[in-house]
């Protein structure tokens, strides 16, 4: 019987709207920055950013390379990775800061490593993902997470 009461209480609280301090019902608002189109009109066929480094091997002409390509979505990119004969892909999502995204790849601190990032509104490079060769294996990891939020202020 106590489970029946508990169930009824859960249903009542779930159905009741969440009220603010002044008694009005709170609403969830999805804010979209409409200054930049969410879809590109033209998608570049070549890479928008690339990095390449020769792999030390006396017998083969292998390379460690990373290339970033645009997709139809303005803030989504395709990352193509290559190490020796291994090829892989990853996705990159740039936050919408109200400017056209600019992706860059810079040399990493370690040998055969690079950092994929983007430029913010001030033109500062923001590190996003690290691509490196570790023990003969291709590794990609996220260095930092970025997000943009906006709040609605009551007047």
């Amino acid at each position: 019987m106590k489970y029946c009461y508990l169930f009824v209480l859960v249903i009542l609280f779930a159905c009741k709207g969440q009220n603010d301090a002044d008694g009005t019902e709170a609403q969830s608002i999805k804010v979209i920055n409409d200054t930049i189109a969410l879809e590109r009109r033209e998608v570049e066929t070549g890479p928008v950013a690339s990095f390449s480094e020769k792999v030390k091997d006396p017998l083969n002409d292998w390379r460690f390379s990373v290339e970033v390509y645009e997709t139809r979505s303005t803030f989504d990119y395709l990352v193509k990775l290559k190490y020796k004969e291994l090829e892989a892909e990853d996705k990159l999502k740039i936050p919408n800061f109200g400017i056209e995204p600019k992706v860059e790849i810079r040399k990493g601190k370690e040998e055969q490593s690079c950092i994929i990032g983007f430029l913010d509104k001030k033109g500062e490079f923001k590190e996003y993902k690290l691509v490196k060769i570790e023990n003969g294996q291709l590794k990609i990891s996220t260095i930092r997470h970025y997000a943009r939020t906006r709040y609605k202020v009551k007047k």
Side-chain angles (χ1 to χ4, degrees):
M1 189 68 173
K2 65 180 175 181
Y3 292 114
C4 186
Y5 289 123
L6 181 62
F7 179 73
V8 170
L9 283 175
V10 169
I11 295 297
L12 284 175
F13 284 115
C15 293
K16 183 180 177 186
Q18 185 178 7
N19 292 339
D20 288 342
D22 63 355
T24 60
E25 190 170 313
Q27 294 181 0
S28 174
I29 298 173
K30 183 177 181 182
V31 178
I32 298 174
N33 189 340
D34 59 357
T35 58
I36 304 295
L38 295 177
E39 295 220 351
R40 291 186 175 93
R41 290 183 184 185
E42 294 181 21
V43 178
E44 292 286 330
T45 55
V48 293
S50 62
F51 175 84
S52 183
E53 194 173 87
K54 186 165 175 33
V55 174
K56 292 179 184 175
D57 188 309
L59 301 175
N60 299 298
D61 185 29
W62 283 330
R63 302 198 72 74
F64 162 62
S65 66
V66 179
E67 295 178 330
V68 180
Y69 293 87
E70 288 182 346
T71 62
R72 194 80 179 132
S73 177
T74 302
F75 300 98
D76 294 339
Y77 291 85
L78 176 67
V79 180
K80 292 188 177 184
L81 314 161
K82 186 167 184 175
Y83 174 65
K84 294 184 178 179
E85 293 300 316
L86 174 69
E87 293 183 15
E89 291 183 353
D90 192 28
K91 293 180 181 178
L92 182 70
K93 184 165 184 71
I94 304 296
N96 183 350
F97 288 119
I99 60 170
E100 196 68 38
K102 293 182 183 101
V103 177
E104 283 190 6
I105 302 176
R106 297 190 177 174
K107 173 85 176 113
K109 294 176 185 173
E110 303 170 20
E111 186 177 339
Q112 292 184 335
S113 70
C114 66
I115 297 171
I116 304 171
F118 59 92
L119 301 179
D120 66 2
K121 280 187 171 184
K122 297 176 184 174
E124 295 178 18
F125 182 72
K126 299 293 183 185
E127 296 179 342
Y128 196 10
K129 292 194 177 195
L130 171 67
V131 182
K132 66 180 180 177
I133 305 303
E134 187 176 288
N135 299 326
Q137 300 288 322
L138 181 62
K139 304 277 183 180
I140 184 165
S141 58
T142 302
I143 300 171
R144 293 196 173 89
H145 295 276
Y146 297 94
R148 179 165 187 237
T149 59
R150 295 173 87 183
Y151 299 96
K152 183 179 178 183
V153 179
K154 282 188 174 183
K155 294 180 182 183

